[in-house]
């Protein structure tokens, strides 16, 4: 693992090439049993029920889900009702390396993008603990990531997230609007059949003092 941060903006640290190819393959292999145990599901927009283009799963004591009732964290899979699988040690290691002062993560969202999946501009604000960072790891096809400011209308910047890249969002960027505009299909050979996996680690509950 390579720890060389590029400060994209205040609160956004980018770690290009954080995982080398062998580490990417190892993490891909760890994602496999997670989605075997907790199958990828298609979240739906609150109220309208409009399906996401991204498929999701989670590991950790809490998982993020979305359906007609709203966005929320819950301890069980929305379709199987089973507890989420544990966060693999390799991901906990990445968190400890990138965010050494943060309390342990409680949720790891697993996003799967096919060639045409996208994620619209949004804020991550369903966590009660907003002082902890978010750590994100990308595997497979590259993606065009967009990040703006604290208001939807704030101008955005875009850059390409490649397989093996990591990002940490904290402080002034924790509530920044962000999204994935497109996937560069065929840009990586990591995932058989193509696609992109994004693993996002988060602290959800407030750390007791
Ligand atoms: C910037 N995922 O799961 S990860 C998400 O690539 C999400 O799948 C994208 O946005 C993906 O919510 C982007 C990078 C990321 C994660 C959390 C953030 C960027 C962020 C929180 C605040 C600002
Ligand atoms: Fe997000």
């Amino acid at each position: 693992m390579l720890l060389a941060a590029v400060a994209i903006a205040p609160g956004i640290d980018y770690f290009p090439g954080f995982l080398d190819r062998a580490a990417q393959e190892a993490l891909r292999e760890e994602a496999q049993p997670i989605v075997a145990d907790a199958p990828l599901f298609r979240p739906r927009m609150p109220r309208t029920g409009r399906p996401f283009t991204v498929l999701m799963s989670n590991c950790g004591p809490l998982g993020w889900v979305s359906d007609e009732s709203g966005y929320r964290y819950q301890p069980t899979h929305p379709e199987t009702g089973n507890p989420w699988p544990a966060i693999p040690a390799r991901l906990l290691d990445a968190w400890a390396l990138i965010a050494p002062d943060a309390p342990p993560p409680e949720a790891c969202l697993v996003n799967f993008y096919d060639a045409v999946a996208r994620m619209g501009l949004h804020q991550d604000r369903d966590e009660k603990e907003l002082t902890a960072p978010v750590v994100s790891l990308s595997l497979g096809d590259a993606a065009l990531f967009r990040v703006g400011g604290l208001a939807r209308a704030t101008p955005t910047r875009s850059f390409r997230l490649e397989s093996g890249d990591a990002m940490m969002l904290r402080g002034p960027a924790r509530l920044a609007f962000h999204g994935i505009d497109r996937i560069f299909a065929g840009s990586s050979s990591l995932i058989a059949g193509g696609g992109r996996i994004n693993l996002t680690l988060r602290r959800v509950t407030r750390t007791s003092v």
Side-chain angles (χ1 to χ4, degrees), residues 109 111 113 119 122 124 134 136 145 167 169 173-174 176 178 180 196 198 200 202:
L109 188 52
N111 292 322
Y113 295 78
M119 191 178 287
H122 67 278
D124 290 14
V134 169
S136 149
F145 174 71
M167 251 197 314
L169 302 305
R174 180 62 183 76
H178 60 280
I180 295 290
R196 171 172 186 264
N198 180 264
T200 300
R202 299 164 185 178

Side-chain angles (χ1 to χ4, degrees), residues 101-165:
D101 300 326
E106 296 171 297
C108 178
L109 188 52
V110 180
N111 292 322
F112 179 77
Y113 295 78
D114 67 13
V116 297
R118 296 174 297 107
M119 191 178 287
L121 211 61
H122 67 278
Q123 293 172 295
D124 290 14
R125 51 187 301 168
D126 300 321
E127 301 76 25
K128 292 193 176 71
E129 181 55 276
L130 293 170
T131 67
V134 169
V135 171
S136 149
L137 296 169
S138 293
L139 295 176
D141 285 337
L144 188 61
F145 174 71
R146 178 201 288 264
V147 60
L150 300 184
R152 189 176 283 278
T154 305
T156 59
R157 299 168 55 186
S158 295
F159 62 101
R160 199 172 142 128
L161 287 177
E162 305 280 350
S163 191
D165 291 352

